[in-house]
Amino acid sequence: MKRRCGIPLSLASVTVALLLSAAPEARADRGRGEGAVRLLTTVPVPGNLVVFDISFVNPATQLYYLADRSNNAIDVVDARRNVFVKQINKGGFKGFTGNNDTSGPNGVVVSGNWLFVTDANSRVVTIDLRTDQVVSSVSTGGEPDLRTDEMAYDPQDGLILAVNNADSPPFATLIKVDKQSGQLTVRQRVTFTDATNGAEQPVWEPGTGRFYVSIPQVGAKVSDGAVARINPDGTLEKMLPVGFCQPAGLALGPRQDLLLGCSVIFDTANAAWSATDANSAAPAQVIMDAKTGAIDSRVSGVGGSDEVWFNPGDGRYYTASRNNPAGPVLGVIDAEDQRLVQVVPTFNTPATAPTPRGTAHSVTANPRNNHIFVALPANNVFPKCLTGCIAVYGTSADDD
């Protein structure tokens, strides 16, 4: 997809009142999020972090993992103490080639001792976190040089669903995981024949026992997006339609809700918005019922998102909205009220800067302390970020 870059006007957060209380049965493990989210600290990354992709926090170990293309490694941060730990498999991925479609690493997921990573040349690998060594590698069989991108893991069946977003048409691949050895075995391809603008973030939803994948565009109309529902047996069961969204990010929230991170901004006349549009922008995110595909709500006030995340620790969704009209932000959405709580400015490399340029499109959370992690490209706006950093956000109550 085409992405526009913007520069935050300030580091001050814009807060919207959060007044409604949640029903007891809908509360997250540590209760509803309260208070304004702010920058707590930044964690510098060695090297020169500019281009990166997906991030993931393992709640069991409180370790954060980032697919770092600039340094050709997986960056690891202690998500409890907010301290950089190490880089895994440095030099063992494709790295940044100048084109995201042929670069890697891309997606990261952790289960037990295994770190699963996607890479260019349609590669998926298992890394043993006890040794930091690659123990298995398979190809999803895409076109030469093109990457495998985002993925989700079904721990019940030991299955990865990995997405080749740059192929035409895009497709996903079911890969069996040997939970004892980490060995990977390619099972089946699922092709999205109606997708005309790639395929993005998948999730596993245990209630329905299905994978879901964001499909930004179906057919010729830019306003027609969808979420694909996939059976672990490889059947593409249904395309759940969504209008005026182009979903990229996807996150599973409470009550089997899915937050769709809408990557394209539409205007008040329901056309794709641009800076020269005669109509005002109308940024929004969408919450969908995974069971039925019904649209529960459109959350106005933030858009242009890539990765999105649900934090069960505070009951909030978080959006990495790099293409928000007023500049890149971290969006904060109350999952119970389904309303925007706050937007907090982040950072994109300015369009006038030399290439490569990075954007704040990666977000994840540690549910045990409610710290939110947003990777930022090298800049002199955020403290300790001259070589790139992980910005850590939270409320005053979360600041240890």
Side-chain angles (χ1 to χ4, degrees):
M1 296 181 200
K2 294 181 180 179
R3 307 295 190 189
R4 295 174 38 256
C5 293
I7 307 172
L9 299 179
S10 73
L11 297 183
S13 60
V14 180
T15 306
V16 178
L18 174 62
L19 300 175
L20 301 180
S21 60
E25 64 273 16
R27 290 175 182 264
D29 294 341
R30 292 184 60 189
R32 290 281 299 282
E34 296 179 357
V37 171
R38 62 184 181 87
L39 180 69
L40 299 178
T41 189
T42 57
V43 181
V45 175
N48 190 39
L49 178 68
V50 177
V51 185
F52 46 82
D53 205 6
I54 296 303
S55 55
F56 184 93
V57 167
N58 180 7
T61 60
Q62 297 190 73
L63 291 176
Y64 164 96
Y65 299 87
L66 174 69
D68 179 349
R69 295 179 186 147
S70 291
N71 293 301
N72 197 343
I74 301 300
D75 297 331
V76 184
V77 170
D78 184 325
R80 181 178 64 86
R81 298 183 298 127
N82 302 323
V83 174
F84 188 86
V85 177
K86 59 184 173 181
Q87 291 177 326
I88 294 177
N89 200 40
K90 186 173 176 61
F93 302 103
K94 189 69 173 181
F96 183 59
T97 65
N99 183 341
N100 286 335
D101 290 347
T102 59
S103 297
N106 304 302
V108 287
V109 172
V110 175
S111 179
N113 296 319
W114 312 122
L115 168 64
F116 306 114
V117 186
T118 60
D119 195 12
N121 296 332
S122 296
R123 192 165 74 122
V124 182
V125 304
T126 304
I127 295 175
D128 188 334
L129 290 173
R130 294 166 294 190
T131 63
D132 291 347
Q133 299 299 307
V134 174
V135 296
S136 185
S137 176
V138 297
S139 172
T140 59
E143 291 296 315
D145 298 326
L146 295 182
R147 66 175 175 167
T148 302
D149 189 17
E150 302 187 52
M151 62 180 160
Y153 180 63
D154 161 15
Q156 175 180 317
D157 301 300
L159 283 176
I160 292 171
L161 184 77
V163 177
N164 276 59
N165 73 311
D167 281 81
S168 185
F171 65 90
T173 305
L174 287 164
I175 302 170
K176 181 66 176 178
V177 177
D178 185 317
K179 297 180 184 180
Q180 300 304 312
S181 68
Q183 291 296 308
L184 305 176
T185 304
V186 173
R187 283 286 181 87
Q188 187 170 348
R189 177 182 290 198
V190 182
T191 303
F192 307 114
T193 55
D194 296 330
T196 53
N197 195 10
E200 295 288 334
Q201 191 170 357
V203 297
W204 165 252
E205 203 291 292
T208 58
R210 299 293 185 268
F211 288 102
Y212 293 80
V213 182
S214 288
I215 306 296
Q217 186 175 335
V218 176
K221 293 179 63 177
V222 297
S223 59
D224 290 347
V227 175
R229 186 172 68 200
I230 300 172
N231 191 300
D233 68 8
T235 303
L236 175 54
E237 293 182 337
K238 195 170 184 180
M239 297 284 270
L240 307 172
V242 57
F244 308 108
C245 177
Q246 287 223 356
L250 195 65
L252 176 64
R255 300 181 305 278
Q256 296 177 272
D257 284 340
L258 297 170
L259 174 69
L260 282 55
C262 303
S263 60
V264 171
I265 305 297
F266 289 87
D267 65 18
T268 52
N270 289 330
W273 178 84
S274 71
T276 59
D277 199 329
N279 297 299
S280 299
Q285 309 286 265
V286 171
I287 297 178
M288 174 185 282
D289 186 327
K291 301 184 297 298
T292 65
I295 304 302
D296 288 346
S297 63
R298 299 184 70 88
V299 181
S300 300
V302 67
S305 303
D306 191 26
E307 188 174 16
V308 297
W309 200 267
F310 174 67
N311 177 25
D314 61 14
R316 287 170 164 177
Y317 294 109
Y318 292 90
T319 74
S321 298
R322 62 178 170 187
N323 288 333
N324 197 58
V329 296
L330 171 67
V332 185
I333 296 171
D334 186 290
E336 173 64 21
D337 298 339
Q338 299 185 347
R339 294 183 182 181
L340 182 66
V341 175
Q342 187 180 0
V343 293
V344 187
T346 55
F347 182 86
N348 292 339
T349 306
T352 56
T355 57
R357 303 184 187 99
T359 62
H361 68 107
S362 185
V363 63
T364 186
N366 180 1
R368 295 177 64 176
N369 60 9
N370 295 331
H371 287 183
I372 313 305
F373 299 84
V374 179
L376 299 179
N379 68 82
N380 63 355
V381 176
F382 281 68
K384 299 183 293 183
C385 207
L386 292 176
T387 61
C389 65
I390 313 302
V392 184
Y393 295 89
T395 67
S396 297
D398 300 329
D399 188 354
D400 294 336

